[in-house]
Amino acid sequence: MGEGVRQVRVFGAEFGSANPDDLAQDIRVAYAELNRRGGLDAAPVAVRSSATAEDLPDASFAGQQETFLNVIGVDALLDAVRRCFASLYTDRAITYRALHGYPHLKVALSVAVQRMVRSDRGAAGVAFTLDTETGFRNLVVINGAFGLGENVVKGTVTPDEWRVFKPLLSDATVAPILDRTIGSKLIKMVLDEHGTPTNVETSATERARAVLDNGQVLALARWCATIEQHYGMPMDIEWAVDGETREMFIVQA
């Protein structure tokens, strides 16, 4: 797999063993602990990958490496982790690195295993802490659609969009949302009767309605600004709203 770092983080426990068998055993133990804390036999989880070559100074390729949603059971979890690592070497990933002069053997990948957020019954999307078209640094740009976030990340749906003026986010007396665009959102990704992510058509009501209210937009924008401040650079962030609890989460940055 090359010289780059291979790292897995499961429910707060971080592993980076070079031995595949040791790493697999660490994942089994951490998944068992996740089940114990949740009182479940097999907790549904999201298996998310993030690689150092996804976002380069002159290019970004969101969704380049694989992410697997609603993974249930330890065998399925181990398979998903392996498939995340393998996605470093798909045709599109290799071509992207070759075009941008990034050494294939220097790429590092992390896999995060998280409790599944029921955004299939809510909404999800991405946010950027700058204007991706102009490079203007004083904006947080938020995109979102109903259902799981894969359609937004991979560009298969036209999402809602908000642009928020970052310098005024610290002022609680104003709501610095510069504009909002309601996307067509023709489809949404939900979980079918077998728990498999699948696309269905949205209703006319959903297409006409924004996936976030102003309060959620401002809260999300403030979180994004805090994340950017922590890392000291513009950030590409994925978020989700649980449709059962109405909680909002940052799931990847």
Side-chain angles (χ1 to χ4, degrees), residues 27 29 40 66 87 106 125 129 131 168 179 193-194 225 230 234:
I27 294 171
V29 171
L40 300 170
E66 293 292 350
S87 69
K106 295 299 183 182
T129 59
D131 187 325
L168 292 181
D179 55 44
E193 64 271 18
H194 305 294
H230 172 77

Side-chain angles (χ1 to χ4, degrees), residues 6 35 75 80 82 118 127 133 170 204 216 220:
R6 303 290 178 263
N35 287 325
D75 291 337
R82 285 191 291 266
R118 294 307 303 267
E133 294 184 0
S170 59
Q216 290 172 312
L220 180 56

Side-chain angles (χ1 to χ4, degrees), residues 127-130 138-142 162-164 166 169 221 224-225:
F128 305 92
T129 59
L130 51 64
N138 283 339
L139 289 183
V140 175
V141 180
I142 298 170
W162 293 262
R163 296 195 307 161
V164 184
K166 201 187 308 177
L169 282 171
C224 291

Side-chain angles (χ1 to χ4, degrees), residues 147-160:
L148 301 172
E150 184 174 338
N151 284 331
V152 179
V153 171
K154 294 191 173 180
T156 54
V157 68
T158 302
D160 297 341

